[in-house]
């Protein structure tokens, strides 16, 4: 039995929530290791819909330990709100079922305000931040002026940390013609919520080490997608954290040897929210068809997603960088009814054909996709639970994707329902 890391292999929104929920039934511990409440997962369990942002997907299942790791930035107000909402849906959340890393960074109100102020002040193309303070919180973490979960134990500590943080933030706010932040007011707010957060605080590295030594199965749940990685994504149109599988170790406190199998969640076509390069985007009836049939709207923001054909070049690149062992191919059913399908197999760049996405913004803007056309299918794949239920042309499409990306399909998802999943290889047993 091994531990499994789940990451998105595109720009997020690949359907990770369902797959993580499907795997969490087989896991003992489920860990979030990066990001914040800027990413959303939708779970459908026994007909009930749960929308999660910060909470690990395992929290909706009894008998699991859910962990929010040190690599996550936590808005404590958003966390408590999400917990209340889940409790209202009948989910039991206790310090036995949820653990929060003592060294995780907190998102402050001034982070949210700065996020919005800078986005509004930016001229030209905007990054498309969710304005939830994620980036500024990570900046404070790297700048060594963050307030962490463990700081909630002492008002003196909070006030000392706020003095350091606000020396920076108030200078920035003055430059933006904004009023300074009142540190006492923030300290009062933090002390008010501290009793609600501290019971969940743990040295989660020890929890995970104990679980590993006792032979328990650990599921590491990534947010966003590999192409939004701050180092390896389409910079600067990326998130503020590392989203690739390697971050599961650093963002949880486990060593990399504990990461036994990496599963890349991969949509059967491509979507993206917000600004940034998108070589296979279809701003036509095809893109509209995919968006409408796939219900392509962001879980957290509600923003309409841009849609396009499957990009094998980008997926192969992200799978290679992420060390992915197998993919879970999702939303195949959205392609039902199309006469033909296109897959990007290369790019035209400065008169040459290349098989990778260059890092430079101008280079990325200049590339043109090279397509291979495949036959579509008219029969429905919705709800299929075995290969025998799939049209032959759909299977041919899947096999061609495997060839192009160099990684096999481990799971195939054919609807939002968790049981509508075809298991090829069990990541926990591989």
């Amino acid at each position: 039995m091994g531990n499994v890391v789940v990451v998105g292999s595109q720009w997020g929104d690949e359907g990770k929530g369902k797959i993580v929920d499907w795997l969490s039934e087989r896991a003992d511990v489920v860990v979030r290791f990066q990001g914040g409440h800027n990413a959303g997962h939708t779970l459908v369990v026994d007909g009930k819909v749960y929308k999660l942002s910060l909470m690990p997907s395992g929290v909706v299942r009894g008998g699991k330990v859910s962990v929010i790791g040190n690599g996550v930035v936590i808005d404590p107000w958003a966390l408590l709100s999400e917990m209340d909402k889940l409790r209202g849906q009948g989910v039991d959340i206790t310090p036995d079922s949820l653990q929060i890393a003592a060294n995780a960074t907190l998102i402050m109100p001034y982070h949210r305000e700065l996020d919005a102020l800078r986005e509004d002040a930016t001229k030209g193309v905007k990054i498309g931040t969710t304005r939830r303070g994620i980036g500024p919180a990570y900046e404070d973490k790297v700048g060594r002026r963050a307030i962490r979960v463990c700081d909630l134990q002492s008002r003196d500590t909070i006030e000392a940390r706020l003095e350091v943080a606000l020396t920076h933030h108030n200078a920035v706010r003055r430059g933006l013609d904004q009023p300074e932040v009142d540190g006492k007011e923030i300290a009062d707010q933090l002390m008010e919520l501290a009793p609600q957060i501290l019971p969940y605080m743990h040295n989660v590295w020890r929890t995970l080490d104990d679980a590993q030594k006792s032979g328990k199965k650990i599921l590491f749940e990534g947010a966003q997608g590999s192409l939004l990685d701050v180092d390896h994504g389409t910079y600067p149109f990326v998130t503020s954290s590392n989203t690739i599988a390697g971050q599961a170790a650093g963002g949880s406190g486990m060593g990399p040897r504990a990461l036994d199998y990496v599963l890349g969640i991969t949509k059967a076509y491509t979507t993206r929210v917000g600004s940034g390069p998108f070589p296979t985007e279809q701003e036509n009836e095809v893109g509209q068809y995919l968006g409408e049939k796939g219900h392509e709207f962001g879980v957290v923001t509600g923003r309409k997603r841009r849609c396009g054909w499957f990009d094998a070049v980008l997926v192969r690149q992200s799978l290679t960088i992420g060390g992915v062992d197998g993919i879970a191919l999702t939303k195949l059913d959205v392609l039902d009814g199309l006469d033909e399908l296109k897959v990007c197999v290369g790019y035209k760049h400065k008169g040459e054909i290349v098989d990778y996405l260059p890092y430079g913004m101008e280079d990325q803007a200049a590339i043109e996709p090279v397509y291979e056309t495949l036959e579509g299918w008219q029969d429905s794949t919705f709800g299929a639970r075995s290969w025998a239920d799939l049209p032959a042309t759909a299977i041919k499409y899947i096999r061609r994707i495997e060839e192009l990306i160099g990684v096999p399909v481990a799971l195939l998802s054919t609807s939002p329902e968790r049981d509508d999943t075809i298991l090829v290889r069990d990541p926990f047993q591989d």
Side-chain angles (χ1 to χ4, degrees):
M1 295 183 183
N3 302 322
V4 176
V5 183
V6 174
V7 293
S9 67
Q10 293 152 308
W11 282 293
D13 307 312
E14 301 97 347
K16 292 185 293 297
K18 170 196 166 171
I19 302 300
V20 168
D21 175 59
W22 191 89
L23 290 169
S24 70
E25 188 175 41
R26 295 156 173 77
D28 301 298
V29 182
V30 182
V31 186
R32 271 286 307 272
F33 58 86
Q34 53 76 219
H37 64 310
N38 55 339
H41 289 171
T42 299
L43 310 182
V44 182
V45 182
D46 297 329
K48 186 176 289 188
V49 178
Y50 302 94
K51 293 186 181 293
L52 308 180
S53 294
L54 266 173
M55 301 292 282
S57 296
V59 76
V60 301
R61 300 200 163 274
K64 315 290 180 185
V65 176
S66 292
V67 172
I68 299 178
N70 57 276
V72 179
V73 288
I74 302 169
D75 183 323
W77 295 274
L79 174 65
L80 293 173
S81 175
E82 188 171 334
M83 292 169 69
D84 287 343
K85 183 177 180 181
L86 288 171
R87 288 190 178 109
Q89 292 184 279
V91 177
D92 186 29
I93 303 172
T94 69
D96 292 327
S97 63
L98 175 66
Q99 296 189 14
I100 302 172
N103 54 336
T105 293
L106 295 176
I107 298 174
M108 297 289 101
Y110 49 80
H111 291 140
R112 295 193 299 267
E113 293 172 10
L114 180 59
D115 212 356
L117 287 168
R118 290 198 302 209
E119 185 77 356
D120 291 338
T122 300
K123 297 179 180 179
V125 178
K126 299 181 184 294
I127 300 299
T129 172
T130 56
R131 299 168 181 254
R132 297 187 174 221
I134 311 296
Y138 273 117
E139 290 175 35
D140 275 8
K141 176 180 179 177
V142 176
R144 293 164 290 190
R145 53 180 175 265
I147 296 172
R148 303 187 297 174
V149 173
C150 57
D151 297 331
L152 295 176
Q153 299 174 99
S154 164
R155 184 179 181 107
D156 288 343
T157 300
I158 289 174
E159 290 178 347
R161 298 305 303 152
L162 278 170
E163 184 177 359
V164 173
L166 294 181
T167 298
H168 167 81
H169 280 278
N170 281 334
V172 173
R173 292 174 70 90
R174 287 193 297 270
L176 293 170
D177 293 325
Q178 297 296 316
E180 294 188 5
V181 173
D182 183 348
K184 182 181 182 302
E185 182 179 343
I186 299 293
D188 289 342
Q189 294 175 14
L190 290 176
M191 292 308 297
E192 182 178 349
L193 61 79
Q196 302 174 69
I197 300 288
L198 289 175
Y200 300 91
M201 183 183 75
H202 284 268
N203 290 322
V204 301
W205 62 268
R206 190 182 295 278
T207 298
L208 298 176
D209 184 57
D210 290 344
Q212 171 82 354
K213 289 177 177 176
S214 61
K216 293 182 178 179
K217 291 180 284 188
I218 304 172
L219 180 63
F220 297 89
E221 173 186 5
Q224 289 99 19
S226 298
L227 295 173
L228 292 173
D229 186 276
V230 70
D231 288 312
H232 301 288
T234 49
Y235 191 92
F237 304 100
V238 293
T239 193
S240 303
S241 61
N242 288 112
T243 60
I244 59 174
Q247 177 63 16
S252 65
M254 291 207 79
R257 291 182 181 177
L259 313 181
D260 298 306
Y261 188 97
V262 180
L263 181 69
I265 315 302
T266 307
K267 193 177 287 186
Y269 50 101
T270 310
T271 60
R272 175 164 202 171
V273 172
S275 304
F278 188 166
T280 63
E281 182 175 12
Q282 298 297 298
E283 298 181 276
N284 51 30
E285 66 278 2
V286 171
Q288 184 175 351
Y289 177 89
L290 295 173
E292 291 177 355
K293 190 169 182 182
H295 307 291
E296 296 296 352
F297 295 90
V299 174
V300 170
T301 64
R303 290 185 294 180
K304 183 178 180 181
R305 297 173 186 145
R306 301 154 64 191
C307 299
W309 296 118
F310 187 84
D311 191 331
V313 180
L314 276 180
V315 171
R316 182 175 62 246
Q317 185 167 322
S318 67
L319 298 182
T320 301
I321 292 170
V324 173
D325 298 293
I327 68 166
L329 191 66
T330 65
K331 304 191 86 165
L332 181 71
D333 57 290
V334 175
L335 301 179
D336 294 352
L338 291 171
D339 293 328
E340 65 177 27
L341 307 170
K342 292 184 178 181
V343 176
C344 178
V345 296
Y347 300 134
K348 290 181 181 178
H349 179 247
K350 297 181 179 179
E352 298 182 358
I353 303 297
V354 298
D355 61 354
Y356 64 92
L357 182 71
Y359 282 124
M361 287 180 61
E362 291 184 0
D363 290 331
Q364 290 176 356
I367 61 172
E368 298 179 21
V370 177
Y371 288 114
E372 178 179 306
T373 301
L374 301 174
E375 183 183 357
W377 56 88
Q378 299 304 311
D379 296 330
S380 174
T381 63
F382 186 85
R385 298 186 180 182
S386 73
W387 288 106
D389 297 332
L390 299 175
T393 44
I395 295 175
K396 185 177 180 180
Y397 180 76
I398 296 167
R399 295 307 184 203
R400 182 56 179 149
I401 284 177
E402 288 181 315
E403 292 175 357
L404 291 169
I405 65 176
V407 173
V409 171
L411 295 95
L412 180 66
S413 171
T414 57
S415 94
E417 293 291 337
R418 66 185 306 276
D419 292 329
D420 291 339
T421 305
I422 300 173
L423 177 64
V424 182
R425 295 178 180 85
D426 188 340
F428 279 118
Q429 301 292 343
D430 202 279

